[in-house]
Amino acid sequence: MIKRGKQLGISPHIYTFHNWNLLKELLPFQVDDDFRDKILFRLRSLIEDKDFPELRQNFMVYCKNMMNISQAAKELFIHRNTLIYRLKKIESSTSIDTKNFEHCMMLYLVLKSFDGVKDRY
């Protein structure tokens, strides 16, 4: 936990499992590598898309805004139809339903930890 906390730059530097914000940041890195590899294999077409960095960022903001398209679009400074288009692009590429919390949760956890594993893909 200390190692990951330092890597993520979480402060204060006192780490406790009683801190929900810390646990939220650590959770994506607790996903088993074998499971993450299986998900990333299914996401290969999305990852290889030239727009992946933007799609990933838009999806993460969408999740952060509790899957509220209007709120997320406002935070991204884009029209809500643009966000809808990008979410549909993610759906067509991955078969994930971006209106389904459980689907979004799996994609979110994998994409949140993607920076640490992207060199393998």
Side-chain angles (χ1 to χ4, degrees):
M1 176 156 77
I2 293 172
K3 178 180 160 187
R4 184 64 67 185
K6 286 181 181 178
Q7 287 174 337
L8 294 172
I10 297 171
S11 62
H13 297 292
I14 300 169
Y15 308 114
T16 174
F17 287 111
H18 294 284
N19 182 330
W20 284 107
N21 290 326
L22 176 64
L23 291 174
K24 173 189 66 122
E25 292 300 319
L26 293 176
L27 179 61
F29 300 98
Q30 301 305 309
V31 175
D32 176 77
D33 285 341
D34 186 47
F35 181 75
R36 183 182 5 260
D37 289 345
K38 287 175 183 160
I39 299 282
L40 288 171
F41 178 78
R42 298 272 320 267
L43 299 177
R44 186 171 300 275
S45 62
L46 175 64
I47 293 166
E48 292 174 351
D49 189 295
K50 66 179 178 56
D51 297 323
F52 174 68
E54 183 175 54
L55 294 171
R56 176 180 179 246
Q57 187 241 4
N58 287 192
F59 178 78
M60 301 302 277
V61 170
Y62 169 69
C63 289
K64 185 180 119 193
N65 283 280
M66 297 173 280
M67 300 168 58
N68 182 310
I69 290 174
S70 296
Q71 260 182 271
K74 185 176 180 180
E75 183 174 326
L76 291 164
F77 300 105
I78 60 175
H79 193 277
R80 68 184 310 276
N81 289 345
T82 302
L83 181 57
I84 291 169
Y85 169 79
R86 291 175 183 167
L87 291 173
K88 286 189 185 297
K89 188 172 181 178
I90 290 170
E91 287 181 356
S92 68
S93 178
T94 64
S95 301
I96 285 178
D97 180 0
T98 59
K99 292 176 267 345
N100 180 307
F101 171 77
E102 292 167 337
H103 286 199
C104 286
M105 178 189 60
M106 281 193 306
L107 182 58
Y108 178 86
L109 288 174
V110 171
L111 293 181
K112 180 85 170 162
S113 65
F114 186 73
D115 286 334
V117 296
K118 69 181 172 190
D119 297 332
R120 296 189 301 185
Y121 299 94

